[in-house]
C-alpha cells in the first residue's frame, strides 16, 4: 500500500459513522485518562478527613458491638438454664 491509499482509507474511516463514534470514544477515554492522573488537592484532603472520621467511628462502635454480643449470649444462656431448672 502506498501512503496515498493509506491516507484515503484513514479519511474514509474518519468520515464514516462508525469511524466518528470510534474516534469520539477514543477521545473521551483519552480525556478521562488524562484527568484521572492526579486528584485535586481539596478532594484528596476531604477524602482523608472522611476516612479518618470513619476509622474513629468504627473504634467507637466496637465496645457497643461487644456489649450487645455479650448480652445476647447471656440471655441465651439464662433461658437455657431457666428451662432446665423448671
Amino acid at each position: 500500500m502506498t501512503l496515498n491509499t493509506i491516507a484515503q482509507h484513514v479519511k474514509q474511516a474518519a468520515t464514516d459513522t462508525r469511524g466518528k463514534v470510534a474516534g469520539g470514544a477514543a477521545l473521551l477515554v483519552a480525556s478521562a485518562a488524562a484527568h484521572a492522573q492526579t486528584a485535586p488537592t481539596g478532594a484528596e484532603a476531604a477524602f482523608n478527613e472522611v476516612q479518618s472520621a470513619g476509622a474513629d467511628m468504627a473504634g467507637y462502635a466496637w465496645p457497643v458491638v461487644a456489649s450487645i454480643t455479650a448480652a445476647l449470649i447471656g440471655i441465651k444462656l439464662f433461658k437455657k438454664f431457666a428451662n432446665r431448672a423448671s
Side-chain angles (χ1 to χ4, degrees):
M1 287 187 137
T2 65
L3 187 58
N4 193 15
T5 57
I6 292 174
Q8 286 176 352
H9 287 293
V10 170
K11 182 180 176 186
Q12 182 181 4
T15 57
D16 190 16
T17 304
R18 279 196 257 166
K20 288 179 183 178
V21 170
L27 288 174
L28 183 65
V29 169
S31 175
H35 288 291
Q37 294 296 326
T38 58
T41 307
E44 190 174 333
F47 181 74
N48 289 338
E49 185 178 338
V50 169
Q51 189 176 13
S52 66
D56 290 343
M57 289 180 192
Y60 296 143
W62 278 114
V64 175
V65 170
S67 63
I68 290 173
T69 304
L72 290 174
I73 291 171
I75 290 170
K76 258 191 170 182
L77 288 174
F78 177 78
K79 287 171 98 176
K80 183 178 182 179
F81 290 127
N83 286 335
R84 285 191 181 176
S86 59

